[in-house]
Amino acid sequence: MGELFVRTQRQANGRTIVANSYFSNPLKIAKSFYHEDGYTEVMTLLAGPGMLKGDRYNISFEMGENTRTLITAQSYQKLYNSTDGETVQKVAIQVGENAELCYMPQPAIPFTNNTFRSNMEIKLALSAKFIFTDILACGREGMGERLKFARYSSRVCVNVDGKPVFLDHTRLFTGQADFFGLGFYEGRVCQGLIYLYGYDNITLPVYDGVEAAISQAGGGHVVRLLSESPDAAHQFSRLLWESVRTPKTGRTSA
């Protein structure tokens, strides 16, 4: 079982730092990157090829008050063959008062016969700002593994000030429907969900190979997208975050 915990806090000079962290193999984090726009980037690492049969990850992030954090991943999340078993991931996120968090992991790529189950619990303060992405590829398209995984389940629950505002559960069982037909992938190879809370005047970017639509959901907004590639979906998500994030208001010293 791999475990990862990160807690951030704001220093007197305005910089967001990782105040506390621990992890066990194969999960790790890299040294923080401090961006000119005031965000601190925490990159998660995986000391291995991907999630194997029986792997279970427990991941927790606690963002302190007034912090500004971008959480990314080093590489795509590869979900290997787990015949007669499964791979499981649990993510718990807390975002404090006036804190901003962008949680943008890389897309997930399920291999043939993989069974994956993910559960994400998000708790936001009323004044927090939050955006995250959940992008799923159809498999290793270059290896001819389009929708060859066994089962994919991703549950997301968002609570604001102790009250549930958004619940989404994506469940796909291959072999039971035409996922490339109308209402599913519609000929694309990637689908995605982006959830935003605390942002107004959202305008979706234009990116080749990506079709997206936005709707309100509780106290936030939800973007659903279809894409011709996982990379295009990820880049679209990055552009969206860059368009809505709060601009830097002052210089942060080193």
Side-chain angles (χ1 to χ4, degrees):
M1 177 182 290
E3 294 193 28
L4 173 65
F5 169 78
V6 174
R7 178 168 59 85
T8 64
Q9 72 178 35
R10 180 184 173 93
Q11 290 185 315
N13 64 4
R15 170 175 283 184
T16 296
I17 64 167
V18 175
N20 189 18
S21 68
Y22 66 81
F23 46 81
S24 62
N25 284 329
L27 299 175
K28 301 177 183 293
I29 59 171
K31 184 178 179 181
S32 298
F33 300 93
Y34 301 104
H35 294 271
E36 289 295 326
D37 61 5
Y39 274 84
T40 293
E41 180 176 351
V42 178
M43 179 179 289
T44 62
L45 310 175
L46 183 65
M51 293 194 74
L52 307 175
K53 176 181 176 180
D55 280 355
R56 294 176 179 269
Y57 295 170
N58 287 327
I59 300 171
S60 297
F61 300 113
E62 294 182 6
M63 306 295 106
E65 296 181 1
N66 301 301
T67 56
R68 304 179 73 189
T69 312
L70 167 64
I71 297 178
T72 59
Q74 181 186 32
S75 61
Y76 282 24
Q77 185 176 33
K78 302 178 184 67
L79 308 174
Y80 281 82
N81 187 325
S82 58
T83 303
D84 299 323
E86 64 177 355
T87 52
V88 179
Q89 177 174 278
K90 294 183 178 180
V91 180
I93 296 175
Q94 295 185 38
V95 185
E97 296 287 348
N98 299 308
E100 297 183 42
L101 171 64
C102 174
Y103 179 44
M104 192 171 292
Q106 293 280 355
I109 301 180
F111 287 32
T112 297
N113 294 326
N114 173 262
T115 294
F116 177 71
R117 178 161 50 91
S118 172
N119 186 63
M120 181 180 293
E121 296 286 340
I122 301 160
K123 297 180 180 179
L124 307 177
L126 192 61
S127 58
K129 292 186 176 182
F130 176 70
I131 178 173
F132 91 97
T133 62
D134 186 12
I135 298 173
L136 173 67
C138 67
R140 296 186 298 174
E141 187 183 17
M143 301 290 290
E145 295 182 0
R146 300 180 68 176
L147 291 173
K148 295 294 182 66
F149 59 89
R151 185 170 74 250
Y152 179 87
S153 173
S154 178
R155 179 183 182 275
V156 179
C157 180
V158 180
N159 293 270
V160 176
D161 198 26
K163 299 177 181 179
V165 298
F166 177 70
L167 177 64
D168 182 82
H169 196 174
T170 299
R171 300 185 71 197
L172 299 177
F173 299 82
T174 57
Q176 297 185 2
D178 178 15
F179 286 106
F180 287 108
L182 185 66
F184 290 97
Y185 282 84
E186 299 186 3
R188 278 72 169 186
V189 299
C190 180
Q191 67 165 330
L193 163 72
I194 307 172
Y195 178 81
L196 306 95
Y197 173 80
Y199 298 99
D200 298 317
N201 302 317
I202 301 170
T203 300
L204 297 182
V206 176
Y207 198 92
D208 287 344
V210 177
E211 291 190 16
I214 187 170
S215 61
Q216 289 187 324
H221 293 80
V222 173
V223 177
R224 304 279 185 178
L225 64 86
L226 293 172
S227 174
E228 296 178 2
S229 75
D231 184 65
H234 186 72
Q235 293 301 323
F236 173 90
S237 303
R238 183 79 181 218
L239 288 175
L240 177 59
W241 172 63
E242 290 176 350
S243 71
V244 301
R245 64 185 177 184
T246 302
K248 185 177 179 182
T249 57
R251 182 168 183 170
T252 301
S253 60

